[in-house]
Each structure stands twice: as C-alpha cells, then as structure tokens.
Amino acid sequence: EAKRAKVRCMRFDPRWERARESHLSLLSALRVAVEQDHLRQFLQPKVDAVSGALVGAEALVRWQHPTRGFISPGEFIPFAEQTGRIRDLTRWMLRRAIRNLAHLPALQAPGCYLAVNISTLDLLDTDLPAWLATQLEAGGVDPSRLQLEVTESGLLASGNGPVKVLTALRAVGVTLALDDFGTGQSSLAYLQRLPVQELKIDRSFVSNVDHDTRRQNLLNAIVDLGHSLGLTVTAEGVETVGELQVLRRCGVDLIQGYLISEPINEDDFAGQSVLA
Ligand code: C2E
Ligand code: CA
Ligand code: CA
Ligand code: CA
C-alpha cells in the first residue's frame, strides 16, 4: 500500500538549465503544468495521536513532468513564487481540495478536514478570500472542512497586508494552521497576531526526540504553549514508534508522518488507520 504510493522525486539538474532549458522554458513548462493537468494532489493522513483515527489530511502538490517524471515541490514552489505562477498553483490546489472534500469517500467522516499549503505571497492576494468563498459554495463544501497552512517565513515582515488577508480568510470559515512551527524568526509573535487554530511542530523538533532529553523538554514546552492558547497541536514528520511514544507522553494531539503513511495519490487514499 505505502509501497505503491512511493514516488521518486527528481531534483533539477543544473545542467538542464545550462543546456536548452532556460528559465523562460521552465516558466512556460510550469504554466503548461498548471493548465494542462500535469499537477497532482497527493494526500498525507493526519491521525489522532491516541486513537489513531483519521482526522484529516494535508494536500501536497506534485508535478508530473511528461519527460522528467515527478518533480518535488521543494524544487518548483520557490520558482513558482519568483515568477508569479504561485497564484494559479494555489488556486488549482484549493479547487482540487474542495473537490476531494466533496467526493473522496475517505474524507467523509464527520469533522474530517483537508489542509492546503498557502504561500506567503498568496497572502498579498486580496481577492483570495472572496474567490475561496465562492469556490466552497459552488462545491457544496462546508468551509470548516478546509484548512490553510501558513508558514512563519517573512509573513509579518511584509507589513499588515498578510494579516488582513488571513483574517478575511478566517472570516470565510476555513481554519488556519501555523506550519513548521519553531523554525521561523518570530514564532511567538505569530501566535500572538495570527488567528490560527492549529500549530504544526516542525519535524526538526520531532526527529529522534526519543534520544534527546533537551528536545523532549522543548517539545513539552511547545505543546503546553499551544494548548494554553487553545490550539490543536500536531507533530509532523513522525517516522518511528519511539518518537510516537514521546509525542503521546507530551500530549501532542495529532500525528503526521511516514510512520502513518507517506503522501499518497488521491485515488489510493483510503484513510485506513495503521496506528494500534
Ligand atoms: P511541508 O508543508 O512542511 O510538508 C511536509 C513535507 O514533509 C512534505 O514534503 C512531506 O512529503 C514530507 N514528509 C511528511 N512526512 C514525513 C516524514 O515522516 N519524514 C520526512 N522526512 N518527510 C516527511 P513535500 O511534499 O516534498 O513538500 C515540501 C514542501 O513544499 C512542503 O513542506 C511545503 O512547504 C511545500 N509545498 C508542498 N505542496 C505545496 C503546495 O501545494 N503549495 C505550497 N505553497 N507549498 C507546497
Ligand atoms: Ca504544510
Ligand atoms: Ca510543515
Ligand atoms: Ca516544511
């Protein structure tokens, strides 16, 4: 099951660029990818840390290049941001997420939600909240079933605009998660200013936490902080049973990571729980 879903992600070879592949052709390739259905939405389950029950999933974009195979988002998202292509990509992901929320059997359990990653640049797009409200309505999906994940990086630095757009998005009824928590410059300032419901602890705090008391103490403090603010606390990148045991002891609410499942394509997403 997990095997079947395993996808090889190619890295951009700089030589491609030096040979025929100019930035311009990459840019048009990305435009074509968005327009001609070369993008895929993979889903990674999020489960209750104690019961193992499926509570939702995170949507992760994949680019299936006709000749290069799958290209990982870490390679093309920054490029999409630099070239302005991110706006269409985000909207493609949101439309697809709404469709999956409406139709995927595994996402139909009560309270089950799907999270989409939003780029900081999307938060300069003042049309996004109204557009999203229209899409949710047209898809017949309750806004509370959609979550938007935002990262700390550079968000507050770009003035008040992003916070306004986030507040407007929240007013549409979607929930917000602060992604990669702990890795940014000003995590606490974000918690203070952003209307978020969920805090996602970055994998760097989770990896080998069972072998590192210092990391365990940090994790404990982050979980307590999140709970004291009334937030759901999620650990991402959980890979081992040892990590899971510590996370449970710390009171983490939700678990996401290869231990449960890699991101899998939407057709194969059955949402079965593997946590005993
Ligand atoms: P992220 O939002 O922090 O997503 C988690 C990444 O960690 C994903 O990589 C996921 O496949 C990977 N992962 C999940 N569980 C584990 C685990 O147990 N161990 C390890 N080592 N890795 C795990 P992915 O899909 O390659 O995405 C990388 C980043 O690209 C994401 O980090 C996110 O920042 C960005 N991204 C992905 N999809 C989108 C999208 O649709 N829009 C935007 N703006 N960014 C996206
Ligand atoms: Ca994320
Ligand atoms: Ca993350
Ligand atoms: Ca990350």
Side-chain angles (χ1 to χ4, degrees):
E1 349 43 56
K3 268 272 154 50
R4 179 167 41 132
K6 198 163 191 167
V7 166
R8 190 173 48 93
C9 280
M10 286 173 68
R11 302 188 68 80
F12 274 139
D13 184 336
R15 278 171 306 181
W16 292 336
E17 245 170 356
R18 265 181 264 127
R20 294 155 315 210
E21 297 282 349
S22 67
H23 260 250
L24 204 62
S25 68
L26 257 184
L27 177 57
S28 72
L30 188 52
R31 181 176 51 75
V32 169
V34 176
E35 284 170 0
Q36 295 188 356
D37 207 28
H38 295 160
L39 297 182
R40 296 285 177 273
Q41 181 162 112
F42 273 44
L43 305 175
Q44 186 177 40
K46 297 170 81 166
V47 303
D48 185 287
V50 178
S51 73
L54 184 85
V55 300
E58 176 175 2
L60 294 154
V61 70
R62 296 289 180 264
W63 180 4
Q64 192 171 41
H65 193 281
T67 55
R68 293 174 185 174
F70 274 93
I71 303 175
S72 101
E75 305 294 329
F76 68 89
I77 293 288
F79 184 75
E81 288 175 335
Q82 283 159 30
T83 59
R85 201 44 65 189
I86 191 72
R87 183 178 183 274
D88 292 340
L89 190 150
T90 299
R91 290 184 182 212
W92 185 90
M93 285 294 282
L94 288 168
R95 270 197 303 266
R96 193 85 195 178
I98 290 167
R99 198 173 107 171
N100 282 332
L101 279 167
H103 297 298
L104 274 193
L107 294 177
Q108 302 313 314
C112 199
Y113 65 94
L114 188 52
V116 172
N117 291 283
I118 296 294
S119 161
T120 305
L121 286 181
D122 293 318
L123 299 179
L124 300 174
D125 178 1
T126 49
D127 296 336
L128 185 61
W131 176 87
L132 186 56
T134 308
Q135 296 292 318
L136 284 160
E137 170 110 53
V141 168
D142 191 307
S144 67
R145 298 182 62 212
L146 182 67
Q147 184 175 72
L148 307 180
E149 296 193 4
V150 295
T151 54
E152 309 166 58
S153 52
L155 212 158
L156 288 188
S158 34
N160 239 337
V163 180
K164 279 199 184 130
V165 172
L166 268 181
T167 307
L169 286 166
R170 177 67 190 127
V172 168
V174 301
T175 64
L176 305 175
L178 189 51
D179 201 2
D180 300 344
F181 185 78
T183 60
Q185 306 267 302
S186 47
S187 305
L188 298 181
Y190 281 85
L191 277 188
Q192 194 187 338
R193 288 190 56 193
L194 303 184
V196 299
Q197 287 70 52
E198 183 169 330
L199 185 159
K200 298 189 76 177
I201 304 175
D202 190 72
R203 185 165 72 90
S204 57
F205 294 93
V206 171
S207 295
N208 294 313
V209 69
D210 44 334
H211 301 297
D212 185 339
T213 2
R214 210 181 150 76
R215 202 167 288 189
Q216 260 170 60
N217 293 337
L218 262 172
L219 199 86
N220 244 319
I222 295 174
V223 175
D224 288 349
L225 174 70
H227 284 166
S228 72
L229 293 170
L231 307 179
T232 299
V233 178
T234 301
E236 51 178 22
V238 183
E239 294 182 348
T240 69
V241 172
E243 290 165 359
L244 173 68
Q245 283 165 345
V246 174
L247 293 166
R248 280 176 164 162
R249 229 186 298 132
C250 290
V252 163
D253 302 297
L254 306 180
I255 300 287
Q256 194 183 340
Y258 294 166
L259 177 68
I260 313 300
S261 167
E262 292 187 12
I264 46 187
N265 80 59
E266 49 201 2
D267 296 330
D268 293 336
F269 186 79
Q272 77 283 12
S273 187
V274 293
L275 260 197

